[in-house]
Amino acid sequence: MTFTETDLRAAAAAGALDTAQLARLLDFLYQRSASLPVTAQAPSPQFDVAHLLWYAGALIVMMAMGLFSTLAFSQMGGEALAVTALVYAAGFAAAGHYLWHGKGLRTPGGLLIAIAVSMAPLAVYGVQDALDLWGQFGKPGTVQGFYVWIKGSWIFMEVAAILAAVIALRFYPFPFIVVIAGVALWFMSMDLAPWIAGTDHADWETRRRVSLWFGLGTLVIAWVVDWLRRGDFAFWLHLFGMLAFWGAVTSTSGGTMVDTALYCAMNVVLLFLAVFLGRKVYAVFGVIGIAIYLGDLANKVFRDSLLFPFALSAIGVAVIAAGLFYYRRQEAITAWLEANLPDALKRLRPEHAG
């Protein structure tokens, strides 16, 4: 629950606070805000019509210059593409800087900065195309293919996106910029596979293993960011790390009954991590993983049986019941953890999870 200065003054006007208490409380909050790291003072996400339009507009521009770019757009040539990307980046960066610092509108300003950052892959593609700097794998295709195909030649574009996002975050601490770095990291986890395999298209198993370890590394970074009290920024790293890691584990083909049981156990651990870290994304993947395991088990036990649909329905009801159980007792569960966890583990928990 969050409160604004207007809320506090309304409480004082209603008699809930006297004038002296209000003054002391506001003074404390101002001093605390000033003492927080710069990244902790980023705007909190909201959901209203204005914010919906801002985010939708930013995503439309990003997709127009990337995922939905046409073949004709790519045929402009490397020099034209690089110039287009740089002009877009400069224009959106200038507008974003003006809104961020000049008008105090951090959400639309931060989104415009994010658009500028998203131009980095296009600029690098243009330079590589103009100078034929594609390396051992050759030209991977059109700009649009960056968002569709897994190829080692995209690595430099991904590195550029990550560096641009890091630089932007240094001056404009806006959490949505992390999305661009997160997507680039996720793509990189797949595009590194051809580099490791030494071929243009790595086999599925190589991609899966690279995705698994890259996702695990991203989760470690996300935990460190969380522990350093950069919660809003860590969310996207947790999400993309889980997509890479959990997706790689889940896509493992075959396996014995012991392997599938270990998979279920891993997803149960994710549920505990969701409570320990205060991150619901782990619970989402954990529940999906447990449902996959139970569905596979039900399929093997009730194959071609009239009871199969009923078994799956029972699993769904059980998952919903587990969610309701946790929802009703989450405060008690958190309090139990706080009371029983060793001090060494408590120090590893992000502040927002306490």
Side-chain angles (χ1 to χ4, degrees):
M1 187 178 295
T2 58
F3 305 97
T4 64
E5 181 177 343
T6 302
D7 294 326
L8 295 177
R9 293 190 181 280
L17 296 171
D18 59 39
T19 304
Q21 289 175 327
L22 175 64
R24 287 196 300 271
L25 181 57
L26 290 176
D27 183 61
F28 167 77
L29 293 175
Y30 286 137
Q31 290 182 14
R32 183 176 184 276
S33 176
S35 66
L36 289 173
V38 175
T39 50
Q41 300 177 31
S44 300
Q46 299 182 36
F47 187 80
D48 54 27
V49 174
H51 284 75
L52 181 63
L53 293 175
W54 289 338
Y55 278 90
L59 289 172
I60 288 172
V61 175
M62 292 179 189
M63 290 188 292
M65 302 300 288
L67 180 61
F68 296 143
S69 61
T70 62
L71 178 62
F73 181 75
S74 298
Q75 291 175 341
M76 290 171 58
E79 296 90 342
L81 288 176
V83 170
T84 299
L86 292 175
V87 169
Y88 260 66
F92 282 109
H97 178 84
Y98 173 73
L99 291 178
W100 185 281
H101 291 289
K103 295 295 185 179
L105 297 172
R106 293 201 163 194
T107 296
L111 288 170
L112 294 182
I113 297 295
I115 295 176
V117 170
S118 71
M119 295 298 114
L122 177 60
V124 171
Y125 179 94
V127 172
Q128 287 185 273
D129 190 44
L131 302 178
D132 195 25
L133 299 175
W134 293 112
Q136 60 177 315
F137 299 130
K139 184 175 180 179
T142 65
V143 177
Q144 186 185 44
F146 175 62
Y147 302 89
V148 180
W149 302 112
I150 300 173
K151 291 187 178 181
S153 299
W154 304 119
I155 290 292
F156 300 106
M157 297 167 65
E158 292 151 0
V159 170
I162 294 167
L163 289 176
V166 170
I167 293 171
L169 285 169
R170 172 65 181 82
F171 299 98
Y172 308 95
F174 188 68
F176 188 74
I177 297 174
V178 181
V179 174
I180 299 170
V183 171
L185 284 168
W186 186 25
F187 284 2
M188 184 183 290
S189 71
M190 295 179 283
D191 292 332
L192 276 174
W195 282 73
I196 294 173
T199 59
D200 188 23
H201 295 280
D203 61 272
W204 170 254
E205 182 59 20
T206 301
R207 294 178 186 173
R208 191 191 68 79
R209 289 182 180 179
V210 172
S211 180
L212 188 152
W213 288 106
F214 203 92
L216 190 60
T218 302
L219 291 176
V220 172
I221 295 173
W223 170 79
V224 172
V225 173
D226 239 351
W227 189 68
L228 293 175
R229 303 178 186 179
R230 309 291 195 269
D232 288 341
F233 298 85
F235 166 76
W236 298 105
L237 295 175
H238 283 292
L239 175 60
F240 288 109
M242 279 302 299
L243 281 171
F245 171 76
W246 183 88
V249 175
T250 302
S251 60
T252 304
S253 59
T256 64
M257 291 293 289
V258 174
D259 293 330
T260 55
L262 288 175
Y263 172 76
C264 180
M266 181 200 76
N267 285 282
V268 172
V269 171
L270 291 180
L271 298 182
F272 286 100
L273 276 177
V275 178
F276 180 76
L277 296 175
R279 286 293 174 185
K280 296 181 178 65
V281 64
Y282 290 88
V284 171
F285 283 97
V287 167
I288 294 174
I290 292 172
I292 290 174
Y293 167 76
L294 294 177
D296 179 68
L297 189 63
N299 182 49
K300 291 175 180 177
V301 175
F302 298 102
R303 181 185 296 274
D304 299 325
S305 169
L306 181 63
L307 295 177
F308 183 54
F310 298 101
L312 283 182
S313 299
I315 289 171
V317 172
V319 170
I320 294 172
L324 288 172
F325 176 84
Y326 173 73
Y327 176 77
R328 292 176 177 176
R329 293 168 175 79
Q330 55 184 332
E331 292 185 3
I333 293 172
T334 302
W336 183 89
L337 282 175
E338 191 66 28
N340 293 278
L341 278 178
D343 291 337
L345 283 178
K346 287 181 181 179
R347 287 193 291 270
L348 295 177
R349 296 187 77 195
E351 187 180 59
H352 68 82

